[in-house]
């Protein structure tokens, strides 16, 4: 794991042996795969120092050198901070993972009209402890879906995490309850998803839609309630993907009124139970389990730590 330390607005990185003979340019372009625009920004504004001095980005690094990167500048955006008690699963200087409750949106679509989203709550929490950072979500959860959701606290971490998500290096595992009994104990649903032209917010399986791949495994069957508890993980992240795929199979999520799942619960029975990824800066393995937080409980007899 990479040895780092925050020093004010700067991140100090002690060059490890495996970086010997790499250049700063190699780090940004090849190791971190940062966007060209962001690299230019760091280089032109002297936001990288080597042993306290402005470096030559094309000279080889030496083990033990001190690389300083300006990451933690104060940021004052237009989104208003609003208090909400949101469980935090993981936090450091670079990122946060929340356990999102139901009935709260990930971010506002209109910053003036919507002030009760997870982003508003994150800003309140951070500013209350003196952090004014450019926090933003890396992926979304539907308003009524609960569970683990990842935010970056500065643009550099955000750029790396965006790339990791695109390359399918961030694994998201969900727990869902579907109506009926599935014919297979495990499988993969590979059906493209597009907009439903008859409904503004609805999606559907469509030959002209975007690629969508959902893997699933049955956890248990509740014969009395005629429900099946499943674990699923995604290769893609389309809007309503799990909900659309299981509705297409004839097994909509319990409580999912929009996709034919009935109204047994106040929301669709879907929870982002686990998030796994390598830390964008330190390369540390991060695994977050998100406890169920519904009151009254929806998911019963499932041990999150075993997912």
């Amino acid at each position: 794991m990479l040895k780092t330390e925050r020093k004010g607005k700067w991140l100090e990185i002690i060059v490890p042996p495996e970086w010997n003979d790499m250049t700063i340019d190699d780090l940004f372009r090849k190791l971190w795969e940062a966007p060209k625009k962001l690299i230019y920004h760091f280089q032109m504004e002297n936001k990288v120092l080597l042993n306290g001095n402005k470096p030559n980005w094309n000279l080889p690094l030496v083990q033990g050198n001190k690389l300083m990167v300006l990451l933690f500048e104060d940021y004052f955006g237009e989104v208003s901070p609003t208090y909400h008690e949101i469980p935090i699963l993981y936090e450091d200087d670079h990122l946060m993972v929340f356990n999102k409750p139901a009935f709260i949106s990930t971010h506002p679509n209109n910053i003036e009209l919507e002030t009760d989203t997870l982003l508003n709550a994150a800003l309140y929490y951070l500013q209350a402890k003196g952090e004014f950072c450019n926090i933003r979500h890396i992926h979304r959860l539907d308003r009524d879906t609960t569970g683990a959701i990842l935010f970056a606290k500065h643009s550099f971490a955000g750029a790396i995490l965006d790339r990791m998500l695109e390359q399918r290096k961030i694994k998201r595992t969900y727990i869902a309850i579907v109506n009926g009994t599935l014919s297979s104990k495990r499988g993969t649903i590979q059906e493209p998803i597009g907009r439903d032209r008859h409904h503004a917010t609805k999606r559907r399986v469509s030959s002209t839609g975007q690629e969508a791949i959902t893997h699933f495994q049955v956890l248990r069957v509740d014969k009395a309630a005629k429900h099946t508890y499943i674990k699923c993980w995604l290769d893609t992240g389309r809007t309503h993907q799990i909900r659309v795929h299981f509705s297409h199979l004839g097994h909509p999520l319990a409580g999912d009124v929009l996709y034919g799942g009935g109204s047994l619960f106040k929301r669709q029975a879907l929870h982002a139970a686990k998030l796994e990824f390598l830390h964008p800066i330190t390369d540390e393995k991060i695994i977050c389990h998100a406890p169920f937080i519904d009151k009254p409980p929806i998911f019963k007899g499932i041990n999150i730590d075993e997912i």
Side-chain angles (χ1 to χ4, degrees):
M1 188 175 73
L2 191 62
K3 183 179 178 181
T4 68
E5 182 180 353
R6 179 171 179 172
K7 294 192 172 181
K9 296 182 179 182
W10 296 80
L11 180 71
E12 180 184 86
I13 303 172
I14 305 300
V15 173
E18 57 267 28
W19 287 8
N20 264 336
D21 296 328
M22 292 182 68
T23 66
I24 295 174
D25 190 73
D26 289 334
L27 294 181
F28 277 83
R29 295 184 188 278
K30 298 178 182 178
L31 181 67
W32 291 321
E33 298 182 54
K36 291 180 180 179
K37 186 176 180 180
L38 194 61
I39 295 172
Y40 180 83
H41 174 71
F42 275 96
Q43 193 168 14
M44 292 298 102
E45 298 190 16
N46 298 320
K47 293 187 175 183
V48 179
L49 301 176
L50 185 63
N51 298 325
N53 300 308
K54 181 180 177 180
N56 184 326
W57 279 52
N58 296 306
L59 289 180
L61 296 166
V62 177
Q63 179 183 353
N65 282 173
K66 291 184 178 180
L67 188 67
M68 304 288 286
V69 186
L70 185 61
L71 295 180
F72 309 112
E73 297 177 282
D74 287 344
Y75 176 84
F76 300 91
E78 297 179 350
V79 177
S80 303
T82 307
Y83 175 77
H84 284 283
E85 190 69 37
I86 308 291
I88 296 169
L89 303 175
Y90 178 88
E91 181 185 5
D92 62 23
D93 290 326
H94 310 283
L95 55 92
M96 297 184 71
V97 181
F98 291 96
N99 191 4
K100 185 180 102 52
F103 315 120
I104 182 171
S105 298
T106 299
H107 64 95
N109 291 315
N110 185 312
I111 61 174
E112 294 180 359
L113 298 179
E114 297 176 77
T115 59
D116 59 350
T117 73
L118 188 54
L119 179 59
N120 297 98
L123 286 169
Y124 186 98
Y125 165 80
L126 290 167
Q127 292 183 18
K129 63 190 188 106
E131 289 190 44
F132 297 87
C133 54
N134 186 17
I135 189 167
R136 67 172 178 84
H137 62 282
I138 299 302
H139 60 105
R140 296 187 183 95
L141 291 177
D142 294 340
R143 183 178 184 274
D144 295 348
T145 299
T146 56
I149 182 168
L150 176 60
F151 279 71
K153 292 171 75 171
H154 55 76
S155 58
F156 186 60
I160 299 174
L161 288 168
D162 284 343
R163 185 256 304 164
M164 290 170 62
L165 186 70
E166 184 179 338
Q167 295 176 347
R168 303 176 183 176
K169 292 181 179 179
I170 298 176
K171 184 178 180 182
R172 294 164 286 167
T173 304
Y174 295 80
I175 304 297
I177 305 173
V178 301
N179 290 338
T181 303
L182 298 174
S183 58
S184 302
K185 295 296 183 183
R186 62 172 62 236
T188 297
I189 308 168
Q190 190 166 354
E191 297 285 352
I193 292 176
R195 291 184 177 273
D196 188 327
R197 61 184 178 181
H198 303 295
H199 196 292
T201 59
K202 198 173 181 181
R203 300 296 192 273
R204 65 184 180 88
V205 167
S206 168
S207 59
T208 59
Q210 294 178 297
E211 179 188 35
I213 303 171
T214 303
H215 307 282
F216 71 89
Q217 176 186 337
V218 171
L219 296 176
R220 73 181 184 89
V221 178
D222 186 337
K223 293 183 179 179
K226 298 181 180 179
H227 287 153
T228 302
Y229 287 70
I230 60 170
K231 172 175 73 172
C232 37
W233 56 102
L234 313 178
D235 282 354
T236 53
R238 308 304 173 204
T239 300
H240 299 177
Q241 179 172 321
I242 294 171
R243 300 165 65 187
V244 172
H245 271 170
F246 282 96
S247 177
H248 180 71
L249 289 186
H251 298 283
L253 271 59
D256 192 352
V257 176
L258 183 62
Y259 291 101
S263 56
L264 177 63
F265 304 122
K266 292 187 295 183
R267 66 178 187 89
Q268 71 267 8
L270 182 62
H271 178 72
K274 185 171 151 183
L275 192 62
E276 301 171 77
F277 58 96
L278 292 179
H279 194 284
I281 307 297
T282 67
D283 214 32
E284 175 187 6
K285 178 71 173 180
I286 305 294
I287 301 176
C288 295
H289 291 88
F292 299 121
I293 52 179
D294 292 288
K295 294 180 181 179
I298 291 176
F299 301 89
K300 301 175 182 179
I302 301 294
N303 187 344
I304 282 292
D305 293 332
E306 294 178 357
I307 296 303

